[in-house]
Structures are given as structure tokens and as C-alpha cells.
């Protein structure tokens, strides 16, 4: 893990990148990194995460500033700008059931080629997918998801990048941390190696490339 | 009498001691207000915890429910990531889920996540919940705002899942679904079987034991 400053965050991103993010309605999304992405004048991003934010902003500033051309999420209803851009044909949205989305991300980070889920059988979610019957029950074959970069919000990181999340801000973060080529963490606190009890580490530091200290500190 | 209170009060009687329950947003969140004090359930929140409780005192920005609203944690609560949360849901570890509905049909199909061209919020966790929870209760008002039926022969809106609904609770009636279709089991005080038939577009049988909904916990009288 490399500790970086805020000036180093923007240059980690490029136009057209796929970005996987932690967070649920903004809780657990790294707000400082989202702001740095807006400041970096990026375009044509693909975002992969649970939702497009709000009531807590989450990734909504990137949607508002039209930096996103494709979004894979389970829910966009709390951020009306997402629906408007989708209806206007400016934003390509793929909706995936939440349990399917998180499992696709888990597969992407776990070396798995996909999984079978009963969720979505007989609905529009099935369109274009393979249905398989196992043990008399119907399932859909769902495929893994990976991204160029993952953005993570942690409560605490040590100097090796071991992470602890806070309460329900954990959500997608530990899974997203496994499914991207580069993993960037915004931490509220950076402590010395050894200060986090090994039993309490939620994401092992070997998965983390960069940590930036959250600005409110 | 408030329709939402009637629905929540009746749904509350389906809770059994020891159940793990997931409540959807809207009317289902009112259900805990009417659960008997002898019945203890553990509430699961899809964003990653068991042991959700009412907000007591200060709010923590990182303790929010599936609607993103601040909530509390009960002593003994457990927090986990979204993959475990949905493994619990799909894996049959949630005894009961209660969700709202736009349409339910006589085969137990449910539509509650989108209206093409109007409302495309996304399904969030709803498809997983109604597919994976051991029992699915739809808690909804009996008719649309324009008086149209919501309990239909066949859903017209995109489905959330097929054959998933076990019980429908409205402010007028309770329908249970068995292998042969829907059975009208209860009517609200002041509501007749004919009233229900006029407002319902599905085929259903009437239970020989048809009875009045028990709304003692809200002290209901004439509702309509």
C-alpha cells in the first residue's frame, strides 16, 4: 500500500475508465474521492455500484456533472437526475438485482466464472441470459464483474492497507476491494501497522494499492 | 381509520417469536408498532445488518436503514457486507419479508418495481427478497388512487418474481395463496365480501371460515 495525498488522486483516473464504488445510498461511498474525480475533468466513465446516491450524495455529483456514460446498479430511484439522463438516452443504465450485483462483483474478485441464482427468473432480468435447471429449480447464469479501479471508504487503515469499516458503511466496500485492478481507499484514520487486531481486519492490506486520508480529519 | 395502520396491524399478527424479518420501505415499516410485546423478531436490513431497532437518541450517519434513513441497532446486532446480507436473503435465512405492491395476480406473481415510461427506480433488493425469503407478504392498499384493482387475473406491469406471494394484506381483506390460487380469508370490519369482489379483478375462493380481521391493537371500528 502507498499512502498518497489528494493531489495524487485525480491522476489515477482516465477518461473511459470503469470505476467500482462502495456505498449504499451514499453511506460508505468515499465523498472526497468522488469530488477529486469531478475536479479531474473526467468523461465517459462506467460506474458500477449499488445505486446512484442520495439522500447522502454518494456518486451523485458525477451523475450531475454528466461524467458517466454507463451505470451498472440495482437502484437509481433516489437520484432523479439518473432517470432523466437515462430517459434522454444520455446515460446507459443496466439494472441488476442487488443480490445478483454484489455476487457478480464477488465472483469478479474471486476467480469465479459466474453463478446460478433463482433471482430474476421469469422477469425482464432474464432477457439475454441463460436459464439452467438444477435439482428441479430454475436459475439464471449471471456473469462476473470487474473494474479498472475501485473506490472504497474505510473508517481505519493501517500502513499496510488493512481496513476496518464503520457500521452499515461496510456494505459493498469489502467486495469492491477485491474486484478491480487498482484499489483506492479514503480512510478517516491511518494508524501504525499492528494497531488493528488481526481478527478485526475486514479487508486485508494486500488488496489495497493507495490510501488517502479523508479531508475532514 | 388509516388504511396503512389497518394493513400494518394485520400484518403484525403474522410475526412469530424468533422470526428473522425484512421489512420493505413504506407501510411495512409501520408493522413493528403493532407486534405483540410477547413476540420478539429480529429485523434484517438489506444494506448489511441484523438487529435493526428504532432510532433512540443520537443518530449515526453510518447506521441507516434500506431507505437511507437513520435507524438504531438493538443490543446483539450484527453487521456484515452486502454479499453476506444477500446470502442470508437468498439462502432462506430470512423467515418473512413484507413488501408493498403495485399489482399481484391470482398465481401469486408480484409487480412492484417499475412502471414502464413512468417510474424506473430499479429493483434494489426486492427481487432477491421475494425469491429467497421463506414467506412473502404483500402489504398494499386494495385499489389504485383512481380506484382500479391491484389484485388481478394477470399482472400487467413487469414482474418482480413469479409465484412468490404467500399472503396479501390490504385495508379491506386478507388473501392467502395455496396450490390452487387465492383464498379470501378475512375482511376488515365494515367491509362485505361483495365490497371485496367489486374491488378485486382476480379469481379467488372464499374460505368457509371467512372472518373479520382482528384489529384490536388499533381499536378499529368502522373503516370505510
Amino acid at each position: 500500500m502507498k499512502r498518497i495525498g489528494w493531489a495524487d488522486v485525480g491522476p489515477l483516473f482516465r477518461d473511459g475508465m470503469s470505476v467500482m464504488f462502495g456505498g449504499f445510498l451514499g453511506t460508505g461511498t468515499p465523498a472526497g474521492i468522488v469530488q477529486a474525480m469531478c475536479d479531474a475533468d473526467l468523461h465517459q466513465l462506467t460506474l458500477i455500484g449499488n445505486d446512484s446516491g442520495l439522500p447522502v450524495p454518494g456518486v451523485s455529483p458525477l451523475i450531475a456533472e454528466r461524467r458517466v456514460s454507463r451505470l451498472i446498479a440495482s437502484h437509481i430511484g433516489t437520484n432523479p437526475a439518473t432517470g432523466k439522463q437515462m430517459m434522454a438516452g444520455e446515460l446507459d443504465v443496466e439494472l441488476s438485482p442487488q443480490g445478483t450485483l454484489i455476487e457478480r462483483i464477488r465472483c469478479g474478485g474471486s476467480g469465479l466464472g459466474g453463478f446460478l441464482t433463482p433471482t430474476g427468473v421469469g422477469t425482464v432480468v432474464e432477457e439475454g441470459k441463460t436459464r439452467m435447471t438444477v435439482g428441479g429449480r430454475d436459475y439464471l447464469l449471471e456473469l462476473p464483474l470487474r473494474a479498472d479501479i475501485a473506490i472504497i471508504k474505510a473508517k481505519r487503515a493501517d500502513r499496510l492497507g488493512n481496513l476496518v469499516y464503520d457500521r452499515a458503511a461496510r456494505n459493498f466496500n469489502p467486495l469492491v476491494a477485491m474486484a478491480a485492478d487498482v484499489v483506492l481507499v479514503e480512510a478517516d484514520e491511518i494508524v501504525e501497522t499492528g494497531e488493528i487486531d488481526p481478527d478485526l481486519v475486514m479487508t486485508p492490506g494486500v488488496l489495497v494499492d493507495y490510501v488517502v486520508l479523508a479531508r475532514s480529519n | 381509520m388509516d388504511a396503512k395502520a389497518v394493513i400494518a396491524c394485520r400484518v403484525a399478527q403474522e410475526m412469530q417469536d424468533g422470526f428473522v424479518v425484512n421489512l420493505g420501505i413504506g407501510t411495512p415499516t409501520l408493522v413493528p408498532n403493532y407486534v405483540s410485546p410477547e413476540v420478539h423478531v429480529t429485523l434484517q436490513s438489506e444494506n448489511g445488518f441484523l438487529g435493526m431497532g428504532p432510532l433512540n437518541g443520537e443518530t449515526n450517519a453510518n447506521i441507516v436503514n434500506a431507505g437511507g434513513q437513520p435507524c438504531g441497532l438493538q443490543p446483539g446486532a450484527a453487521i456484515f457486507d452486502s454479499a453476506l446480507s444477500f446470502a442470508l436473503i437468498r439462502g432462506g435465512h430470512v423467515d418473512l419479508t413484507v413488501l408493498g405492491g403495485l399489482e399481484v395476480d391470482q398465481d401469486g406473481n408480484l409487480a412492484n418495481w417499475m412502471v414502464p415510461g413512468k417510474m424506473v427506480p430499479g429493483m434494489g433488493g426486492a427481487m432477491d427478497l421475494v425469491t429467497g425469503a421463506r414467506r412473502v407478504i404483500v402489504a398494499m392498499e386494495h385499489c389504485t388512487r383512481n380506484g382500479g384493482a391491484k389484485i388481478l387475473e394477470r399482472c400487467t406491469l413487469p414482474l418482480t418474481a413469479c409465484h412468490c406471494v404467500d399472503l396479501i394484506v390490504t385495508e379491506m381483506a386478507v388473501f392467502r395463496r395455496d396450490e390452487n390460487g387465492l383464498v379470501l380469508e378475512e375482511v376488515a370490519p365494515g367491509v362485505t365480501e361483495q365490497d371485496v369482489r367489486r374491488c378485486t379483478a382476480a379469481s379467488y375462493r372464499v374460505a368457509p371460515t371467512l372472518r373479520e380481521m382482528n384489529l384490536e391493537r388499533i381499536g378499529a371500528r368502522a373503516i370505510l
Side-chain angles (χ1 to χ4, degrees):
Chain A
M1 182 281 268
K2 187 178 173 194
R3 182 174 170 175
I4 58 174
W6 281 104
D8 306 316
V9 171
L12 294 173
F13 296 88
R14 294 184 313 277
D15 288 350
M17 259 188 162
S18 55
V19 181
M20 215 173 246
F21 61 94
F24 184 101
L25 300 178
T27 298
T29 302
I33 294 173
V34 169
Q35 187 54 52
M37 290 171 68
C38 287
D39 295 343
D41 197 30
L42 299 160
H43 296 278
Q44 301 285 310
L45 296 172
T46 292
L47 289 186
I48 304 167
N50 183 57
D51 57 78
S52 53
L54 305 178
V56 180
V59 296
S60 66
L62 290 163
I63 303 283
E65 293 191 17
R66 297 172 185 274
R67 309 306 180 89
V68 184
S69 58
R70 180 163 156 73
L71 172 69
I72 303 175
S74 81
H75 198 268
I76 59 171
T78 51
N79 180 359
T82 312
K84 273 189 200 142
Q85 291 178 31
M86 178 177 76
M87 295 297 188
E90 299 160 359
L91 175 61
D92 176 23
V93 177
E94 177 185 338
L95 290 170
S96 191
Q98 193 177 157
T100 298
L101 179 61
I102 193 63
E103 200 66 14
R104 290 171 73 192
I105 293 169
R106 195 184 73 84
C107 283
S110 310
L112 298 173
F115 62 102
L116 299 176
T117 178
T119 304
V121 169
T123 75
V124 295
V125 170
E126 182 169 353
E127 286 172 12
K129 292 175 186 156
T130 303
R131 188 194 284 214
M132 299 175 81
T133 306
V134 179
R137 190 173 187 192
D138 287 346
Y139 298 89
L140 300 183
L141 173 63
E142 291 279 0
L143 301 178
L145 279 172
R146 286 189 60 87
D148 297 320
I149 187 165
I151 61 173
I152 306 285
K153 179 65 199 284
K155 174 187 185 182
R156 183 175 298 130
D158 72 12
R159 293 190 182 280
L160 291 179
N162 291 307
L163 304 180
V164 174
Y165 306 101
D166 185 47
R167 302 303 190 211
R170 188 181 325 183
N171 55 66
F172 273 49
N173 278 300
L175 289 307
V176 163
M178 295 186 68
D181 297 343
V182 175
V183 175
L184 168 61
V185 177
E186 176 176 342
D188 284 334
E189 182 186 13
I190 299 175
V191 299
E192 292 303 324
T193 301
E195 283 189 39
I196 302 174
D197 183 323
D199 280 338
L200 302 183
V201 171
M202 298 174 186
T203 291
V206 295
L207 296 168
V208 173
D209 297 293
Y210 302 103
V211 176
V212 60
L213 186 63
R215 273 216 177 83
S216 51
N217 289 275
Chain B
M1 183 62 56
D2 177 27
K4 291 183 166 62
V6 171
I7 295 166
C9 177
R10 179 58 190 83
V11 170
Q13 295 159 33
E14 299 297 311
M15 303 291 146
Q16 293 178 27
D17 198 45
F19 263 16
V20 176
V21 177
N22 185 298
L23 300 175
I25 53 177
T27 305
T29 60
L30 303 174
V31 170
N33 300 338
Y34 301 99
V35 176
S36 157
E38 295 85 56
V39 173
H40 296 97
V41 301
T42 300
L43 296 181
Q44 197 251 7
S45 193
E46 69 179 24
N47 50 324
F49 51 99
L50 281 160
M52 181 167 56
L55 196 57
N56 45 7
E58 63 202 78
T59 65
N60 176 332
N62 287 337
I63 304 176
V64 295
N65 63 21
Q69 301 304 315
C71 64
L73 292 176
Q74 302 276 22
I79 294 176
F80 31 80
D81 64 51
S82 300
L84 179 60
S85 185
F86 280 85
L88 289 172
I89 289 167
R90 274 190 321 261
H93 307 284
V94 172
D95 295 294
L96 172 63
T97 188
V98 185
L99 298 93
L102 296 170
E103 296 176 346
V104 182
D105 70 27
Q106 61 196 42
D107 294 324
N109 299 314
L110 169 67
N112 75 348
W113 74 279
M114 74 173 285
V115 180
K118 285 189 185 160
M119 179 196 95
V120 191
M123 67 292 280
M127 286 189 176
D128 297 286
L129 278 162
V130 299
T131 302
R134 290 185 175 275
R135 194 148 179 269
V136 175
I137 297 178
V138 173
M140 65 177 189
E141 293 187 26
H142 204 94
C143 296
T144 66
R145 277 196 199 100
N146 303 325
K150 297 172 72 176
I151 304 174
L152 307 173
E153 188 178 349
R154 173 95 26 221
C155 288
T156 63
L157 295 170
L159 296 182
T160 309
C162 303
H163 313 300
C164 62
V165 177
D166 297 297
L167 194 75
I168 307 168
V169 177
T170 77
E171 78 284 13
M172 294 183 76
V174 177
F175 291 93
R176 196 170 299 275
R177 188 172 71 94
D178 63 19
E179 61 273 19
N180 296 314
L182 297 178
V183 182
L184 175 64
E185 293 204 325
E186 298 177 28
V187 289
V191 175
T192 66
E193 192 192 324
Q194 287 68 35
D195 293 332
V196 174
R197 196 162 293 281
R198 207 165 41 241
C199 299
T200 306
S203 302
Y204 58 84
R205 289 163 290 141
V206 178
T209 54
L210 182 69
R211 60 189 182 275
E212 188 171 277
M213 225 185 258
N214 174 0
L215 299 176
E216 266 173 22
R217 293 191 68 83
I218 46 174
R221 285 295 176 265
I223 289 157
L224 297 175

